[in-house]
Amino acid sequence: MAQIIVVTSGKGGVGKTTTTAALGAALARNGQNVAVVDFDVGLRNLDLVMGVERRVVFDLINVVQGDATLHQALIRDKRCETLSILPASQTRDKDSLTAEGVSRVMEELREKFDWVLCDSPAGIERGAQLAMHHADHAVIVTNPEVSSVRDSDRIVGMLDSRTARAEQGERVEKHLLLTRYDPARAARDEMLSVDDVIDILSVPLLGVVPESEDVLKASNVGAPVTLAAPNSAPAKAYFEAVRRLEGEELPVSIPTEKRGLLDFIFKKRGA
Amino acid sequence: MSFLDNFFSRKRPSSSTVARNRLQILLAHERGVSGEDDTNLLRTLHREILEVLARHVSVDQDNVNIKLDRGQNCSTLEIDIQVPETGLRAQVSTSASDLK
Ligand SMILES: Nc1ncnc2c1ncn2[C@@H]1O[C@H](COP(=O)(O)OP(=O)(O)O)[C@@H](O)[C@H]1O
Ligand SMILES: [Mg+2]
């Protein structure tokens, strides 16, 4: 029986798709059976970030409507045997995702995998609500910036009222993932601090992912950053987050300005 | 106390401090106003207050206004009831009279 995680944020462009791919691949690397599901109908991107865009035949809507079986639509990752992707449709009308259809697909996924990660569309409308409805856990992706924090707050409210768990009087377990964190700007007090965001949202911290060009490079070549550059700073943050999701208790590392020996030498030379 | 610190040190607060303070005020407001729970609470209060009033005085339902203002440290519930002069003198009895 899988744990279902929704990766959500309200605001667009904060790093949901990047995070879904990175966490999914990291869990799979730990030997877990993982499905990542793209709920961003119309603007699908997860297939691209995962590098399987040319292998898409069927999608979530086909399965929801019964035109394809789940087995036909799932794409197995070539780098990581235990990782599968269920892509979203790019063309079809998003109203064709019915609540009952989605429930049926999620139940089937729950039986086949250990973890199911749902990449939510931006916004707080129907699409985002469908993506979160069956979740046991929510990874709330937030940038240290006012509009992102505000939107995350709306999402927190919806997780507490509009999900299957909420309807049964239970709770979706919420985790705050701060991404695109810039240590240099944080040091200059130009950015909300990690503590500020935790304080304002009152959601426990799952991890802090630094702003890094390794993320961009990974998406250029179509690989989750945890597979493309497993030793990079963002990948380490994602691997740490996954250990915490798996129940391990370990302190969250906050990225600091990287002033390695090399930087130091080059600085000296340049001066 | 960061506000006072900034005030006394006469330093301009950093932009991250400004961001935090703005967010705290905004979210305290939004959590209250847009919260469905609050809307439900206000509707229920409105209905029940009218029911109680109707047993003793005649009040139009438009003349009962309830406002909830959620602040960071304390909230105010404002109930404004306008009673027509004749209404107050009306039936003071325990039997419920119909409003509409
Ligand atoms: N930690 C990061 N460092 C640098 N760029 C990032 C990081 N996380 C995400 N991005 C970039 O930000 C953009 C939006 O990310 P994406 O995951 O598509 O967001 P969303 O799915 O929330 O809209 C992409 O170009 C992505 O490469
Ligand atoms: Mg996305």
Side-chain angles (χ1 to χ4, degrees):
Chain A
M1 281 292 273
Q3 300 274 347
I4 299 182
I5 304 180
V6 63
V7 179
T8 184
S9 72
K11 191 168 157 52
V14 294
K16 289 179 294 295
T17 301
T18 303
T19 296
T20 306
L23 293 179
L27 280 163
R29 263 290 133 89
N30 289 355
Q32 304 280 307
N33 244 317
V34 182
V36 290
V37 184
D38 193 347
F39 270 85
D40 203 348
V41 174
L43 282 176
R44 75 170 195 221
N45 273 324
L46 189 59
D47 54 338
L48 207 55
V49 170
M50 306 273 299
V52 300
E53 70 278 7
R54 300 204 305 170
R55 297 168 61 203
V56 175
V57 182
F58 296 112
D59 56 52
L60 176 62
I61 289 184
N62 293 134
V63 184
V64 163
Q65 295 188 328
D67 298 334
T69 63
L70 186 58
H71 181 75
Q72 286 174 309
L74 281 169
I75 304 168
R76 170 118 13 128
D77 192 283
K78 285 192 169 147
R79 297 151 297 209
C80 203
E81 283 240 304
T82 57
L83 178 60
S84 300
I85 302 128
L86 182 56
S89 154
Q90 196 153 33
T91 49
R92 271 166 243 241
D93 183 10
K94 47 185 155 207
D95 288 337
S96 40
L97 273 188
T98 60
E100 308 77 59
V102 170
S103 300
R104 192 171 42 76
V105 175
M106 294 313 286
E107 283 322 305
E108 206 180 332
L109 284 166
R110 211 191 260 283
E111 273 167 30
K112 288 203 164 89
F113 292 91
D114 301 319
W115 297 87
V116 177
L117 279 74
C118 304
D119 183 18
S120 175
I124 52 169
E125 307 303 327
R126 198 179 127 78
Q129 293 185 21
L130 281 173
M132 72 169 60
H133 194 260
H134 300 275
D136 305 302
H137 297 264
V139 171
I140 303 167
V141 180
T142 308
N143 295 164
E145 169 265 321
V146 285
S147 56
S148 172
V149 174
R150 178 199 209 173
D151 290 357
S152 292
D153 194 67
R154 298 283 304 272
I155 288 290
V156 167
M158 286 172 49
L159 288 165
D160 288 340
S161 61
R162 307 271 177 86
T163 51
R165 281 213 166 185
E167 283 162 11
Q168 290 154 18
E170 294 165 30
R171 271 178 179 278
V172 175
E173 248 186 82
K174 287 167 291 198
H175 312 268
L176 175 65
L177 188 73
L178 216 55
T179 59
R180 313 204 65 170
Y181 180 83
D182 183 339
R185 289 177 58 210
R188 292 194 302 269
D189 254 351
E190 292 170 7
M191 200 175 65
L192 286 166
S193 73
V194 177
D195 286 338
D196 284 345
V197 183
I198 300 174
D199 238 31
I200 293 169
L201 293 176
S202 331
V203 173
L205 187 64
L206 182 69
V208 181
V209 182
E211 173 82 20
S212 159
E213 59 185 36
D214 289 306
V215 171
L216 214 64
K217 283 189 205 154
S219 77
N220 282 345
V221 299
V225 70
T226 42
L227 294 185
N231 291 317
S232 64
K236 280 183 180 157
Y238 281 122
F239 276 115
E240 212 184 73
V242 153
R243 286 168 63 190
R244 234 170 262 117
L245 280 175
E246 289 177 314
E248 211 176 309
E249 280 190 28
L250 70 165
V252 177
S253 340
I254 312 291
T256 49
E257 264 183 282
K258 46 171 191 286
R259 276 283 135 92
L261 187 58
L262 280 181
D263 294 85
F264 188 71
I265 293 169
F266 282 122
K267 275 269 154 56
K268 282 278 178 203
R269 273 225 232 128
Chain B
M1 285 291 95
S2 55
F3 171 73
L4 283 185
D5 290 347
N6 285 317
F7 188 79
F8 286 119
S9 68
R10 292 180 182 232
K11 249 188 4 205
R12 197 170 325 154
S14 68
S15 68
S16 71
T17 308
V18 175
R20 189 190 57 215
N21 293 343
R22 287 177 59 219
L23 268 173
Q24 275 169 338
I25 292 165
L26 173 74
L27 294 186
H29 184 70
E30 285 186 342
R31 281 170 192 160
V33 173
S34 64
E36 274 165 60
D37 288 352
D38 279 357
T39 314
N40 284 337
L41 170 69
L42 291 182
R43 276 202 204 115
T44 310
L45 275 175
H46 192 257
R47 195 188 61 239
E48 291 183 3
I49 287 172
L50 275 170
E51 279 169 15
V52 171
L53 285 172
R55 285 184 215 148
H56 307 289
V57 294
S58 65
V59 176
D60 192 83
Q61 78 173 49
D62 292 339
N63 288 336
V64 175
N65 288 305
I66 310 180
K67 260 201 307 201
L68 178 59
D69 223 338
R70 287 219 188 263
Q72 224 174 310
N73 298 318
C74 82
S75 307
T76 51
L77 183 64
E78 194 183 309
I79 303 177
D80 176 18
I81 305 171
Q82 284 184 35
V83 197
E85 257 181 49
T86 52
L88 261 187
R89 264 182 273 113
Q91 346 93 13
V92 178
S93 74
T94 45
S95 68
S97 74
D98 44 347
L99 183 75
K100 280 195 244 173

